[in-house]
Structure formats: structure tokens, C-alpha cells
Amino acid sequence: MIKYIPSTARYHIFHPKDYIINEDKDGIVTITSPNGETNMTLSGYEANGEVDSKVLTEFMAEVTKGYELQTEPELKEFGNGLKISGKYKKDGNDWLWKIFSENKAIVIVSINGDGILSDEEIKLIEFMLDNFELYSE
């Protein structure tokens, strides 16, 4: 696994060596599997104030408009902050949406597969996100 810190220095994430990393001029990072079947996109933001469960729940509803809900979003603690995650479908593809927050820092993560995300792909993504660290200061 290789540690990656985007130009925004908002977080770090570990990814497999053979995965392809792309960061655009706005600091949005895409991590793609070697076969191109799985994509993870991460984008960091700064909120105007503290991010609580209400703000996170509303933000999740906003970013997933137009997606078919598969599982109700689940809110959990994340370090000194919160995270929310849910499973969705759009255009026949599986999507996992996650939002991590700590203080005013927010990182939105969307994961999609070419069709159905396999259990193996989900386990690898969860491992990568279990070792994800958000820099809130």
C-alpha cells in the first residue's frame, strides 16, 4: 500500500501500488483499480461552522439526489468527528457514498463500480478508508 496526500493536504489515504491516482486542479482525487472497474473519488471542503449530525445528514441527502437508496445512511463516530455512509444505485451501477468530518473539515467519498461492486472490492475499499486520516487543523 502507498500513502497518498493530495495537494490540499486535507487527508491521507493508502492505496494499492497498482491503482491509478489522478488529482485535478481543484484537488479532487480519483483512485481507479487497474482494470478500471472501480473508482473512488475524494473531495475535501471546509464548512463555515462545526459539522454536526444534522449538517452531515442534510449534506448526504444533497449529494445523493438522483440516486436510488439501497441502505439508509448510517451515522458513526470518526476519530474526533463523524462519518455517514450509505449504499445507492444509479444507472445500473452500485455506489457507496461516505462523508467524513472533523471540526470544519469535510471529505466526500464516492465509490462506484462497473455494475455491481464485489465483496472483494468493497473489503479493499473499506480497508483503505479504515486507514484514512482527515487533517482538520
Side-chain angles (χ1 to χ4, degrees):
M1 296 294 258
I2 297 172
K3 183 178 182 177
Y4 183 78
I5 301 172
S7 61
T8 61
R10 171 76 61 209
Y11 60 86
H12 78 243
I13 189 165
F14 290 91
H15 65 85
K17 291 179 188 177
D18 58 345
Y19 274 47
I20 301 156
I21 300 284
N22 181 47
E23 183 174 355
D24 72 12
K25 63 180 177 49
D26 296 321
I28 297 173
V29 174
T30 304
I31 303 173
T32 306
S33 62
N35 59 12
E37 291 181 355
T38 308
N39 292 301
M40 179 187 310
T41 302
L42 302 99
S43 43
Y45 302 92
E46 178 120 357
N48 293 332
E50 285 293 312
V51 179
D52 60 14
S53 60
K54 182 178 186 273
V55 169
L56 214 52
T57 302
E58 289 172 355
F59 202 26
M60 178 66 104
E62 184 65 31
V63 299
T64 59
K65 274 187 181 169
Y67 290 80
E68 179 186 337
L69 181 65
Q70 299 295 301
T71 63
E72 280 299 320
E74 187 176 2
L75 193 63
K76 292 184 177 181
E77 290 185 2
F78 170 73
N80 294 322
L82 296 169
K83 70 177 178 177
I84 190 169
S85 60
K87 293 181 180 180
Y88 300 82
K89 271 202 177 296
K90 186 171 185 177
D91 300 328
N93 295 317
D94 284 349
W95 287 78
L96 300 175
W97 282 88
K98 298 176 179 282
I99 304 175
F100 297 84
S101 69
E102 192 170 304
N103 298 324
K104 294 180 180 181
I106 298 172
V107 173
I108 300 174
V109 180
S110 67
I111 302 110
N112 69 301
D114 186 14
I116 296 172
L117 288 169
S118 70
D119 287 341
E120 183 179 308
E121 290 168 322
I122 291 171
K123 285 177 184 173
L124 176 58
I125 289 162
E126 291 298 340
F127 177 78
M128 291 165 65
L129 292 172
D130 284 346
N131 293 287
F132 167 87
E133 189 172 322
L134 180 59
Y135 303 139
S136 61
E137 297 300 322

